[in-house]
Amino acid sequence: MSSSKRKRADIDLERRDDDVDDGSGDHQPGEAAPRVQKEGQIKEGEAQAKEVVEVVVDRGGDGSKEEIKCGTQQGGVMEEDKQSPAASAGNDGADGIDDEESGGGGTRAEEEHMVEAAPGDGDGDHDHTAMAQDELSTMQEEMEKMKEENKMLRRVVDRTVRDYYELQTKLAAYQKQPADQEPKETEVFLSLGGTAPAAAVAEAKSKEEQAALRPSVGSDDTDDGREGLGLSLSLRTSSYEDEARRDVVDGGAPDIVSDVGKARGYALLESSRMSPPASGDLAAAGGIGSQQGVNAANRKTRVSVRVRCQGPTMNDGCQWRKYGQKVAKGNPCPRAYYRCTVAPACPVRKQVQRCQEDMSILITTYEGTHNHPLPVGATAMASTATAGAGAATFTLLSSTSSDAAVSGGPPPASSSYLSPYLQLNSSSQYHSSASPLMSGNMGGGGAQHLSMFGHSSALASQPATLLKYPWPPNPSHGGAAGLGGGKRPFWGTGGVDDVRPTPLPDNAGTMASDPNQFSAAIATAISNVIGKDGQATRSKEGESSNKWGVVVESLPPHE
DNA sequence: CGTCTTTGACCGGCGC
DNA sequence: GCGCCGGTCAAAGACG
């Protein structure tokens, strides 16, 4: 990753901080439970701040200025403000309007005041007055537009929040179903991209929702393929075999690819749990004499992540050893098999395969549960472990396409269902912290489809400070530090030292600078949310906020 | 020299 | 029972 990219991430981060302050007031990180509530409460006010954030996201996501204008109008103004200081006179006013608007103000009088004041800051020339008037009228029009958009956004957010809570309830109920009553496994599809996976979209109800929502959310976009980053999550039941097949099929879904083709960050997560692992599974994993025996248990937990990635594999923070490669039927691209080498007996494996339709998309499927402390940077497989263990840990992780990877953070103790989204937003310097436009029903047998696509980030209020320590500040996560076996740091470039408690901008920038990292983080987040059982919502603070290893070791007996 | 990747062979599950 | 296919093993080679 280039230094320029990193720098931009830092800048965005700062901006975001400001935005958060403007819009959401002061949220304290780590208060996840109240946070959930807060989401609903601030949703209206957040609509504005959201958009600001969103712009930053879009820009970062595509790394081009053009992308920026795909954001909301407010965002565009903001961007101009940033990019061309020369035009700061008018833009400052616009910026101010943004703030006023978010605060519920944004009246015409205020607007005039702003605009007139701006030139005054310059030279105060009378000739500029006429120009200012023109500008004023233009801005008034923009304001009207913005207001309309805001209304739409608020409606969307309202609905989203309602849906979310409804869904959350259903999800909890669903996850509490006894394993033996669940012959089918649950799949979770998460996609970061312009659109939801085709398979997921196929669900009628979800489709409806998306159809209804997308226009409103994406209305600001000037180009279709660039809806920026979207996040969609679907949950459904299916047979294990089907899932395996879908690994290929989904990847090949034309509509996905087409959309993905333009979205920088894309990830699809697929989490499967045939049934909760027996309590002995981990023990077996730990003692793995025969991996075969363990595999059966391990396979109960599968997480598939699709990330647009140029490298042969995405760096998810763990160490892997390739032990095989095979050309799977239906996809000419060979599938590589990796084994976790963090611990000698770790049963976790992953399969990496390029998407047939879009070679730039890497489909990584993690399988199994780690039997060792995980590097905080571990991505989906970490989540797998967590999910399998039923622990409510969420982590942000990184996955770079090549070397360096910074990872995400120790979960806020909360680990509430919402936390991932919050995390998502908190870390989405570049990626859309979309308003979780969740739709669909958990209806029996049916597919649940959660989609968070688009632009506004209903959850943007989450303080960026959550990212301050994407890794446990506590060196005792030594699992991570030592996980490389002393060979290689999990975070490529600088080794462990580099990633220590560096303040927010650094790591956040790193993550933000790599869409893949973020995608993987999201995947992990969602995976965790889905993977954990209902119990997870209780958020066993001590454990979940501890390190991964602890989580793994504290498997609920009933699991 | 140790570690990792490559690659062909082998094994087990599944469908016909 | 047979063949296909996915997954794994293990020897050989590559690399630092």
Side-chain angles (χ1 to χ4, degrees):
Chain A
M1 76 186 60
S2 67
S3 60
S4 63
K5 202 170 184 181
R6 179 186 292 265
K7 188 162 189 175
R8 197 177 54 197
D10 293 346
I11 293 171
D12 288 343
L13 185 62
E14 293 172 8
R15 292 184 62 81
R16 197 192 172 286
D17 281 339
D18 295 340
D19 295 337
V20 170
D21 290 340
D22 288 343
S24 60
D26 21 281
H27 299 262
Q28 295 300 326
E31 299 178 0
R35 210 183 301 150
V36 176
Q37 192 123 11
K38 212 156 189 174
E39 288 309 319
Q41 293 171 346
I42 61 177
K43 57 179 178 287
E44 285 194 3
E46 282 310 296
Q48 284 300 86
K50 232 184 299 169
E51 293 179 3
V52 176
V53 173
E54 172 186 302
V55 172
V56 173
V57 167
D58 280 350
R59 169 168 21 113
D62 292 83
S64 65
K65 285 186 180 180
E66 290 74 23
E67 277 309 293
I68 297 155
K69 70 179 179 182
C70 292
T72 62
Q73 292 186 15
Q74 293 97 318
V77 175
M78 290 283 288
E79 180 58 22
E80 283 181 16
D81 181 24
K82 183 160 189 162
Q83 297 295 333
S84 6
S88 61
N91 290 336
D92 281 346
D95 213 335
I97 290 170
D98 250 2
D99 295 339
E100 294 296 331
E101 180 75 1
S102 66
T107 65
R108 181 168 298 188
E110 289 169 343
E111 189 175 82
E112 287 180 11
H113 179 70
M114 288 289 201
V115 175
E116 286 178 359
D121 292 343
D123 47 19
D125 196 330
H126 286 294
D127 292 342
H128 288 86
T129 307
M131 296 177 60
Q133 291 296 335
D134 293 340
E135 213 170 312
L136 173 61
S137 59
T138 303
M139 295 194 66
Q140 285 174 348
E141 291 177 5
E142 289 182 2
M143 278 295 299
E144 292 305 319
K145 288 179 183 176
M146 283 189 277
K147 286 177 182 175
E148 289 182 10
E149 288 178 9
N150 286 336
K151 286 180 183 176
M152 293 176 61
L153 285 172
R154 285 171 188 171
R155 277 197 295 271
V156 169
V157 171
D158 285 342
R159 191 160 87 185
T160 297
V161 172
R162 273 198 305 273
D163 288 345
Y164 172 76
Y165 286 121
E166 185 179 341
L167 197 54
Q168 184 174 327
T169 303
K170 290 177 178 177
L171 177 59
Y174 181 81
Q175 288 178 330
K176 283 179 180 175
Q177 286 181 2
D180 50 357
Q181 292 179 11
E182 205 173 340
K184 305 268 189 169
E185 62 187 290
T186 297
E187 286 185 31
V188 178
F189 289 88
L190 163 67
S191 73
L192 287 173
T195 154
V201 176
E203 313 302 341
K205 189 148 189 176
S206 305
K207 214 169 180 178
E208 272 184 26
E209 287 289 339
Q210 291 190 12
L213 293 173
R214 283 183 63 169
S216 65
V217 177
S219 60
D220 294 330
D221 284 346
T222 51
D223 25 5
D224 303 329
R226 256 184 253 169
E227 290 182 353
L229 301 167
L231 175 64
S232 74
L233 171 69
S234 72
L235 183 67
R236 67 182 168 198
T237 59
S238 65
S239 70
Y240 194 76
E241 281 298 314
D242 286 345
E243 184 216 353
R245 240 174 274 131
R246 226 168 355 247
D247 273 353
V248 176
V249 175
D250 283 348
D255 51 340
I256 300 176
V257 174
S258 63
D259 279 274
V260 164
K262 293 190 177 178
R264 285 274 294 215
Y266 173 87
L268 187 145
L269 175 147
E270 195 174 303
S271 166
S272 308
R273 298 174 67 200
M274 296 177 73
S275 63
S279 59
D281 286 347
L282 267 186
I288 307 185
S290 92
Q291 292 178 342
Q292 297 256 340
V294 177
N295 276 344
N298 287 335
R299 285 178 188 176
K300 291 173 184 174
T301 308
R302 282 169 47 117
V303 175
S304 175
V305 181
R306 295 182 197 208
V307 176
R308 184 171 288 282
C309 177
Q310 298 303 324
T313 179
M314 69 176 195
N315 188 332
D316 42 31
C318 265
Q319 276 208 312
W320 302 92
R321 177 193 179 95
K322 190 176 184 178
Y323 67 88
Q325 180 170 314
K326 195 112 184 175
V327 177
K329 189 182 180 184
N331 189 341
C333 304
R335 176 182 301 172
Y337 300 89
Y338 294 87
R339 186 174 292 149
C340 177
T341 59
V342 169
C346 181
V348 176
R349 310 198 169 178
K350 77 170 181 180
Q351 302 172 6
V352 178
Q353 187 174 30
R354 291 249 166 234
C355 176
Q356 183 180 4
E357 301 296 327
D358 187 343
M359 300 296 230
S360 66
I361 294 176
L362 208 60
I363 304 170
T364 305
T365 304
Y366 297 91
E367 224 176 78
T369 303
H370 290 278
N371 64 347
H372 54 82
L374 282 168
V376 227
T379 37
M381 82 256 171
S383 97
T384 303
T386 308
T393 309
F394 166 74
T395 199
L396 278 181
L397 41 99
S398 65
S399 67
T400 53
S401 56
S402 49
D403 300 325
V406 162
S407 80
S414 69
S415 291
S416 70
Y417 281 117
L418 197 49
S419 63
Y421 305 123
L422 298 177
Q423 288 272 2
L424 162 106
N425 285 289
S426 70
S427 63
S428 58
Q429 311 306 320
Y430 279 168
H431 294 265
S432 135
S433 46
S435 61
L437 305 181
M438 294 175 233
S439 62
N441 297 320
M442 284 294 283
Q448 177 192 32
H449 184 86
L450 300 168
S451 66
M452 297 184 290
F453 46 94
H455 295 72
S456 42
S457 57
L459 307 163
S461 60
Q462 182 63 17
T465 48
L466 277 180
L467 262 185
K468 263 182 183 170
Y469 300 96
W471 49 84
N474 179 1
S476 71
H477 74 291
L483 277 175
K487 294 183 223 162
R488 199 180 298 168
F490 283 94
W491 300 277
T493 46
V496 177
D497 287 349
D498 286 350
V499 294
R500 241 184 344 238
T502 314
L504 174 60
D506 217 279
N507 56 64
T510 304
M511 175 179 285
S513 63
D514 191 337
N516 292 337
Q517 289 184 26
F518 185 80
S519 300
I522 299 307
T524 302
I526 304 300
S527 164
N528 273 328
V529 172
I530 303 300
K532 66 195 177 187
D533 56 357
Q535 193 177 18
T537 52
R538 272 191 265 140
S539 154
K540 306 193 263 177
E541 292 222 0
E543 294 174 4
S544 60
S545 63
N546 270 338
K547 309 314 165 246
W548 297 100
V550 177
V551 170
V552 172
E553 290 170 1
S554 61
L555 264 174
H558 76 280
E559 286 275 351

